[in-house]
Amino acid sequence: MTDTPVNSTHGRDETVDVVLIGGGIMSATLGTLLAELQPDWKIAVYERLHDVALESSNAWNNAGTGHAALCELNYMPAGKDGSVDAAKAISINEQFQLSRQLWSTLVDEGVLDAPTTFINSTPHMTFVRGEKDVAYLKKRYEALKKEPLFAGIEYSEDSRVINQWAPLLMQKRRKADEPFAATRVPAGTDVDFGALTRQLFTNLQAKGADVVTNREVRKLKRLKDGTWDIHWRNSLGRTPGKTNARFVFVGAGGWAIKLLQSSGIPEISGYGVFPIGGQWLKTSNPELVAQHQAKVYSQASVGAPPMSVPHLDTRVVDGETSLLFGPFATFSPKFLKNGSILDIVTQVRPGNLWPMLKVAIDNPSLITYLVSELAKNHKAKVDSLRTFVPTAKDEDWELLQAGQRAQVMKKDKAKGGVLQFGTEVITGADGSIAGLLGASPGASTAVSIMLNLLSTCFPDRIEEWKPRLRELIPHFGESLNPQPAVAKKVLGATAETLSLTA
């Protein structure tokens, strides 16, 4: 990437077609799609840090789970009557299949490097304890095993079987002490979103896009002709400048709320964000790594946000395999890992003050959870790990700081304000600006999110783009799950191209 200024004069500059703010997986995905669909457009990318993929997209700042609802229980919660509904889980899986299709095409076309540089087969498991959770997991399994996108899901309450799947879970664990059960899907994945993001930006740059690092966007101003002036400042030398653009995407993680507020679009009124940080326990001990080749999710603690669901994960980063356990919630007023301690205060506006206060009033369990997490020292964190790995030793695990997640707070007619876990795209009325708020399952579903953005922001072009979109994503516009034969074919084809377990 380059930190050489482009469009750096102080007057009105030549208008570019697209400015993408933020060097993460969202901007990389949108830029890649636009470069393929409209190769004559001029695209500029601005990242405030010295390189791309250093915040939420960085491999160590996220779990690397290819979120397909294979193991994540929060996508399929039990109803008040104990029933389970697979609709959301299927929807999340459908979205991930769009990502797999695009990545497969980009591998075939030489845009992406060898698949193992960014994605690897890693079984996805769910492990629960206690009669209530065991009953729920079995019910969930019975619902999912009939769905084509969940073909191959396995269930067991047998310690010998679970020991074959994930030996670390079973050492010194007796069923007589507490009932337990697990599900397993061999076709799960571990994704290095940092490597993927860097490869996408390298390709974008090769196609003529300006990918500029060390450039912080300070303000967005809409002009009378409908274009946008993007006011920025270079980190090196502190020189200011501005770029004029026909379309702006704000993919700057927690920073997006500030820039969308500066734009003055009414659609951002009533929104705020609540930052939640995280930490992992990490080990690269070869003996331990060899005994755990899976991502194992469990139930969240009472009051814990979905992003804090405990899980023990195999990670493959830069060719090295390690294990992560967590995340343990932390609190910082910063919206980004490299943000400002004033972030949480400077977002306050008359339109979002009441919704944010209501969120604080209505979520005492979240506050209690955060306080309890902050009180945990290293030993206490390893004690939590021992619910997964009974034989875990303090000295084998080190503490690693994860990324910041800015969870969405927004107006709600019934409640005044709600805290939302997930992602949300905010779009200006004329489609000339859009930004992304929120977190998980974000990166895994980036392709689906950006396809929806294209339809919303470029309604006059989407029809002419569809032929190329179907070349990039062969089953764009289709649902795979209702078509068992098609689903099987697509899963097999993308698995072969991406060197994954089918």
Side-chain angles (χ1 to χ4, degrees):
M1 309 309 151
T2 178
D3 50 27
T4 302
V6 296
N7 299 324
S8 57
T9 61
H10 293 280
R12 174 156 178 176
D13 307 303
E14 177 187 0
T15 298
V16 301
D17 295 290
V18 176
V19 166
L20 307 173
I21 302 172
I25 187 63
M26 294 297 172
S27 291
T29 300
L30 180 57
T32 297
L33 289 170
L34 288 173
E36 294 291 339
L37 299 171
Q38 207 69 48
D40 58 322
W41 280 7
K42 178 64 175 175
I43 298 173
V45 183
Y46 297 154
E47 165 56 47
R48 62 189 287 266
L49 300 180
H50 69 274
D51 200 359
V52 298
L54 291 180
E55 284 284 351
S56 294
S57 299
N58 181 270
W60 299 118
N61 288 342
N62 61 69
T65 303
H67 283 276
L70 302 176
C71 58
E72 309 96 315
L73 300 180
N74 54 297
Y75 297 137
M76 200 171 164
K80 292 182 179 179
D81 61 354
S83 62
V84 293
D85 184 352
K88 185 173 182 180
I90 292 170
S91 174
I92 296 293
N93 197 306
E94 292 273 14
Q95 293 176 61
F96 185 59
Q97 300 314 317
L98 293 173
S99 294
R100 279 180 53 148
Q101 289 179 67
L102 178 63
W103 300 341
S104 294
T105 300
L106 296 179
V107 167
D108 281 337
E109 295 185 355
V111 170
L112 294 175
D113 297 339
T116 53
T117 62
F118 67 90
I119 190 168
N120 288 276
S121 286
T122 306
H124 283 194
M125 291 178 58
T126 305
F127 179 72
V128 298
R129 297 168 295 120
E131 291 182 5
K132 180 181 177 182
D133 286 343
V134 168
Y136 157 72
L137 188 64
K138 188 168 187 179
K139 192 174 292 186
R140 178 181 181 272
Y141 162 74
E142 293 294 338
L144 289 178
K145 72 178 184 180
K146 299 176 277 188
E147 305 296 342
L149 289 178
F150 293 82
I153 188 171
E154 304 168 82
Y155 174 89
S156 183
E157 297 175 25
D158 188 330
S159 61
R160 293 167 297 181
V161 173
I162 301 173
N163 183 65
Q164 292 177 342
W165 294 347
L168 287 183
L169 299 183
M170 291 293 106
Q171 292 173 6
K172 294 189 177 181
R173 190 186 299 275
R174 299 191 312 155
K175 192 162 186 178
D177 297 333
E178 186 178 36
F180 50 77
T183 57
R184 178 178 183 265
V185 181
T189 54
D190 172 69
V191 185
D192 182 344
F193 287 105
L196 177 62
T197 298
R198 289 190 294 273
Q199 290 177 31
L200 291 175
F201 276 128
T202 296
N203 175 68
L204 258 180
Q205 202 167 28
K207 290 188 173 180
D210 290 314
V211 182
V212 186
T213 56
N214 285 314
R215 175 164 291 179
E216 180 181 324
V217 174
R218 311 278 291 175
K219 181 182 177 183
L220 304 174
K221 183 179 180 181
R222 191 170 188 268
L223 304 183
K224 291 181 179 180
D225 63 2
T227 63
W228 291 89
D229 271 352
I230 294 92
H231 294 256
W232 45 259
R233 183 174 66 192
N234 289 323
S235 302
L236 305 178
R238 312 299 284 176
T239 52
K242 66 181 177 181
T243 304
N244 185 253
R246 295 186 177 91
F247 174 77
V248 181
F249 172 67
V250 186
W255 212 267
I257 184 78
K258 302 170 109 179
L259 293 177
L260 289 170
Q261 286 175 336
S262 82
S263 75
I265 59 171
E267 289 80 6
I268 196 62
S269 178
Y271 280 86
V273 297
F274 182 77
I276 300 177
Q279 292 179 325
W280 306 107
L281 286 174
K282 176 192 174 188
T283 183
S284 298
N285 183 328
E287 184 180 345
L288 297 176
V289 170
Q291 296 180 73
H292 188 85
Q293 298 175 25
K295 290 182 181 287
V296 184
Y297 278 57
S298 191
Q299 286 283 31
S301 304
V302 175
M307 64 163 285
S308 295
V309 170
H311 46 101
L312 179 62
D313 291 5
T314 296
R315 295 302 322 272
V316 182
V317 179
D318 296 329
E320 181 187 32
T321 305
S322 57
L323 302 182
L324 290 184
F325 176 75
F328 300 96
T330 63
F331 177 75
S332 166
K334 298 178 181 181
F335 288 168
L336 294 170
K337 200 171 181 178
N338 295 280
S340 165
I341 60 172
L342 299 177
D343 286 346
I344 198 168
V345 176
T346 55
Q347 71 168 324
V348 177
R349 302 287 187 278
N352 65 14
L353 179 58
W354 175 238
M356 290 195 294
L357 288 174
K358 276 293 289 177
V359 166
I361 294 168
D362 294 343
N363 290 274
S365 60
L366 174 59
I367 305 302
T368 301
Y369 166 75
L370 285 174
V371 170
S372 68
E373 287 285 280
L374 291 170
K376 288 181 178 178
N377 57 20
H378 183 271
K379 184 180 184 304
K381 288 180 168 73
V382 179
D383 283 343
S384 297
L385 167 62
R386 278 187 268 270
T387 63
F388 269 69
V389 182
T391 56
K393 298 177 181 178
D394 293 15
E395 61 269 21
D396 285 329
W397 299 81
E398 63 177 312
L399 207 55
L400 187 70
Q401 193 68 34
Q404 287 284 101
R405 299 289 184 271
Q407 308 291 350
V408 176
M409 298 183 285
K410 64 180 183 178
K411 286 181 182 176
D412 181 82
K413 289 183 179 180
K415 298 181 179 180
V418 292
L419 183 64
Q420 174 179 296
F421 298 103
T423 50
E424 184 161 348
V425 176
I426 309 297
T427 307
D430 65 353
S432 66
I433 186 170
L436 185 77
L437 301 179
S440 182
S444 299
T445 57
V447 174
S448 174
I449 292 169
M450 292 303 115
L451 289 172
N452 289 334
L453 184 149
L454 290 176
S455 296
T456 301
C457 295
F458 302 98
D460 57 332
R461 292 183 178 268
I462 195 68
E463 286 302 318
E464 68 181 81
W465 286 345
K466 281 183 178 178
R468 179 55 178 154
L469 282 173
R470 291 197 178 98
E471 290 176 357
L472 294 166
I473 305 164
H475 293 272
F476 166 69
E478 294 181 47
S479 294
L480 299 179
N481 202 62
Q483 307 178 77
V486 175
K488 183 177 180 179
K489 179 182 176 182
V490 172
L491 287 169
T494 56
E496 181 177 0
T497 302
L498 296 174
S499 303
L500 301 174
T501 300

